Amino acid sequence: MKPHRLTLTNALVLGYGLDKQIHNIYNPRPATQTELEAYHDHDYIEFLSRVTPHNQNDMRGMIESFNCVEDCPIFSDMYEFCKMYAGASLAAARKLCAGTTDIAINWSGGLHHAKKAEASGFCYVNDIVLAILELLRFHPRVLYIDIDIHHGDGVEFAFYHTNRVMTVSFHKYTGDFFPGTGKLDDNGTGPGKHFCLNVPLKDGIDDDMYLATFKTVIEDTVASFRPTAIVLQCGADSLGCDRLGAFNLSIAAHGECVNFVRKFNVPLLVLGGGGYTIKNVSRCWTYETSVLVGAAIPDELPVTMYDSFFRETKWKLHPPLTGRVENQNTAASLQRITIAVRNKLRYLQGAPSVALQDIPPDLAGWLADEERSREEKDEERSTATAGEARDDRSIARNEFFDGDRDNDADTADEVPLSQAAPAKPKASASTAGRKPRGGRRGRGRGRGKAVVSATESIASVASAAGDDDEEADEPSPVRTTRTRGRGRGRGRAKTTRSQAKEKEKEIEDTPPADDTSMDVDQEQLDV
């Protein structure tokens, strides 16, 4: 309930210079009401959009029916806040679908308790479900992994009946710890039977036990389910010394879980979640940002305007967080859990496939009455460069450098000098050939006369210097007479039949260019 932890995270990320390692940082638009209603009920979203701290007394009955009490209070700009973090998760999912990126991070998301028509556990809109629904438009199988100390009940409930989403939650389970769900025997139902995995843990689990269980379960799950996309919820309340948590995990072990999932090289969406000791949450997510971008950062925290938050731990990234709670887990209990998970995976009988079907409508249907940005249109077409506007010039792998006279970087329309038409070696300045420009037609300022072979393409080029530019795109009749150009200056060149054929071939090989002006200043070329 305190977005200030995101401010601390951003300050540390910028202080370490990790923003230089991130390819793109976006400020996505808020989610629309129609996008939120892709999962949530219309009446519930209408209620969120109308309720405020000033009118909550008049809407007391609706507030109680939608469970906006106790740990889900009404606060100012609540609906705008929900639209912002949900819109960020949806934008991240769209970029993964479009191929813009292979890892997308939204630390403000990960609110995994929200139900279809009910708020729960500080969560009002389930951005995880909305993002997975977006991923399912292009990906046949999505794996959801939850390392929050609380059970990811909202996501599990949403996909309890489908085999296209495998949910795996590592959480504390005692029967009365919130939300009270997530038993080992929970299994899914219908087509989703055996596609719901829970790893219930007890208080005080340490790094070694947690990592051994996590890697065993996730490795077996990925091998059996073979996901084409992964969503990882990184709730930091599973760290030691959390105000609500009771585990003994260090920041390094929490980050190792993220690193282990990253190494599968599957499109990955990383989200935030719980975490109620703010200084530890910001350190954890900063460290995991460095893990995701592949950068090594020192243990000494950078100097920021929030140094007072970290004075007690002497401004360290990895303070001691373990050993505060007695470990009630045993090797036998964890082995029983891993065996139960493996038995469930045996029933999968291979990764489920998806029949050929139309892609469900996304922005094209939801935002029909709203203006879509160019970036979102590119993403809808699944282009690999959606939203990546760069100022520097990208160079293709097959591009070559043609000596000092190669000025392709300045003018993309020019043909390299090595491809220019040959001229007679003893030609004077008045008869020197001009450097041709790329495109279907060429226009020069000089008035030239040439005797060319009776070919349609050469005649078409000759007619391009006529008075009407529109007529230049139409094929010209065969000409064997002189052609006249428009403009200042005079130039004459005689072309033999063999040279005309070579010039015709080079013009045909020249790629078409935009209909921009082809005028060039007179210059003498030393051919």
Side-chain angles (χ1 to χ4, degrees):
M1 302 297 292
K2 293 185 178 180
H4 187 56
R5 60 185 186 157
L6 300 175
T7 304
L8 281 177
T9 303
N10 288 336
L12 293 179
V13 168
L14 296 175
Y16 274 118
L18 294 176
D19 57 314
K20 306 299 190 300
Q21 306 293 328
I22 300 173
H23 292 168
N24 291 284
I25 300 178
Y26 296 95
N27 185 20
R29 62 169 179 80
T32 65
Q33 179 174 345
T34 312
E35 287 176 326
L36 298 180
E37 291 175 3
Y39 171 65
H40 294 284
D41 286 348
H42 172 75
D43 293 341
Y44 176 59
I45 298 300
E46 278 288 330
F47 160 75
L48 292 179
S49 63
R50 290 166 46 200
V51 67
T52 64
H54 303 289
N55 65 2
Q56 58 180 338
N57 292 330
D58 300 333
M59 305 177 66
R60 178 62 58 186
M62 299 182 66
I63 289 176
E64 294 179 355
S65 63
F66 292 125
N67 196 35
C68 288
V69 293
E70 297 180 356
D71 56 355
C72 295
I74 304 300
F75 57 90
S76 299
D77 298 328
M78 180 180 67
Y79 184 57
E80 284 69 22
F81 177 70
C82 294
K83 292 194 299 182
M84 287 173 64
Y85 73 75
S89 295
L90 282 170
R94 284 196 298 266
K95 295 183 184 305
L96 289 174
C97 292
T100 304
T101 183
D102 53 356
I103 298 177
I105 309 172
N106 174 27
W107 292 127
S108 67
L111 282 76
H112 56 171
H113 293 308
K115 309 299 191 300
K116 188 177 182 67
E118 181 181 299
S120 176
F122 313 138
C123 306
Y124 301 86
V125 170
N126 200 318
D127 63 296
I128 304 175
V129 174
L130 296 175
I132 292 177
L133 290 174
E134 177 67 24
L135 290 172
L136 289 175
R137 299 180 64 249
F138 291 89
H139 292 277
R141 295 177 300 278
V142 178
L143 173 62
Y144 171 69
I145 304 173
D146 193 317
I147 59 175
D148 194 292
I149 196 172
H150 300 94
H151 177 232
D153 57 334
V155 182
E156 178 184 284
F157 177 78
F159 301 106
Y160 205 67
H161 302 270
T162 179
N163 60 357
R164 294 188 60 191
V165 180
M166 171 79 78
T167 60
V168 185
S169 178
F170 298 81
H171 53 270
K172 174 182 174 180
Y173 179 78
T174 60
D176 55 355
F177 186 73
F178 183 86
T181 57
K183 296 185 298 182
L184 180 63
D185 298 335
D186 292 343
N187 202 28
T189 185
K193 191 174 183 179
H194 308 299
F195 288 87
C196 167
L197 302 179
N198 287 312
V199 182
L201 304 171
K202 297 180 181 179
D203 290 350
I205 188 169
D206 56 21
D207 290 350
D208 294 336
M209 284 186 172
Y210 193 94
L211 288 176
T213 305
F214 179 86
K215 292 182 178 181
T216 300
V217 171
I218 296 302
E219 189 170 15
D220 292 343
T221 302
V222 171
S224 300
F225 186 63
R226 287 186 292 170
T228 58
I230 298 178
V231 178
L232 176 60
Q233 197 264 18
C234 300
D237 48 7
S238 53
L239 293 173
C241 302
D242 190 81
R243 293 174 62 186
L244 298 184
F247 285 174
N248 279 326
L249 289 186
S250 64
I251 292 176
H254 203 275
E256 178 58 27
C257 295
V258 178
N259 188 44
F260 185 77
V261 176
R262 177 189 65 88
K263 289 181 179 179
F264 287 110
N265 292 325
V266 176
L268 176 62
L269 171 58
V270 180
L271 304 172
Y276 307 98
T277 302
I278 296 178
K279 55 187 178 182
N280 291 338
V281 175
S282 59
R283 280 187 278 214
C284 179
W285 289 348
T286 300
Y287 174 69
E288 289 171 351
T289 301
S290 70
V291 169
L292 291 169
V293 301
I297 56 178
D299 188 39
E300 191 73 22
L301 291 177
V303 177
T304 65
M305 61 184 300
Y306 304 104
D307 283 349
S308 59
F309 282 85
F310 311 103
R311 180 178 290 109
E312 295 180 0
T313 54
K314 298 181 180 180
W315 302 279
K316 297 297 182 182
L317 179 64
H318 298 279
L321 303 177
T322 60
R324 306 296 178 89
V325 181
E326 182 183 357
N327 189 359
Q328 300 179 11
N329 300 271
T330 63
S333 64
L334 297 179
Q335 185 179 12
R336 182 175 60 90
I337 292 174
T338 55
I339 292 176
V341 170
R342 284 175 173 171
N343 288 335
K344 286 186 179 182
L345 295 175
R346 289 173 53 192
Y347 290 99
L348 296 188
Q349 298 179 353
S353 59
V354 180
L356 185 64
Q357 56 186 346
D358 294 334
I359 297 177
D362 178 41
L363 292 171
W366 292 345
L367 301 183
D369 56 341
E370 301 184 25
E371 190 69 23
R372 288 191 294 156
S373 65
R374 179 178 60 85
E375 175 185 331
E376 291 172 338
K377 292 178 182 178
D378 291 339
E379 290 171 348
E380 183 66 18
R381 291 193 293 266
S382 296
T383 57
T385 57
E388 294 191 39
R390 298 177 61 90
D391 295 332
D392 57 330
R393 177 175 178 268
S394 60
I395 301 177
R397 288 176 178 266
N398 59 351
E399 193 165 324
F400 62 92
F401 179 69
D402 194 27
D404 296 334
R405 294 183 180 274
D406 184 5
N407 52 4
D408 287 347
D410 299 328
T411 307
D413 295 336
E414 289 193 7
V415 178
L417 187 61
S418 60
Q419 299 180 12
K424 290 187 176 182
K426 295 184 179 181
S428 61
S430 60
T431 60
R434 295 185 180 277
K435 189 176 184 179
R437 303 294 294 268
R440 296 186 300 271
R441 305 292 184 263
R443 300 188 184 95
R445 290 186 177 180
R447 181 188 304 168
K449 299 179 181 180
V451 179
V452 299
S453 60
T455 56
E456 181 177 349
S457 59
I458 295 296
S460 176
V461 174
S463 64
D467 294 333
D468 192 356
D469 292 341
E470 296 180 356
E471 295 178 0
D473 293 332
E474 299 178 359
S476 304
V478 175
R479 296 187 181 184
T480 57
T481 59
R482 296 176 179 176
T483 57
R484 300 183 63 86
R486 180 180 58 186
R488 300 185 301 274
R490 298 176 180 270
R492 299 183 180 182
K494 294 183 179 181
T495 308
T496 63
R497 183 180 299 273
S498 61
Q499 291 174 340
K501 289 183 178 180
E502 293 179 0
K503 186 173 183 180
E504 173 190 357
K505 184 178 183 302
E506 291 169 355
I507 294 176
E508 291 176 351
D509 293 340
T510 304
D514 298 334
D515 295 334
T516 55
S517 175
M518 295 296 181
D519 294 343
V520 296
D521 295 332
Q522 293 187 14
E523 59 180 0
Q524 297 182 3
L525 300 181
D526 186 9
V527 180

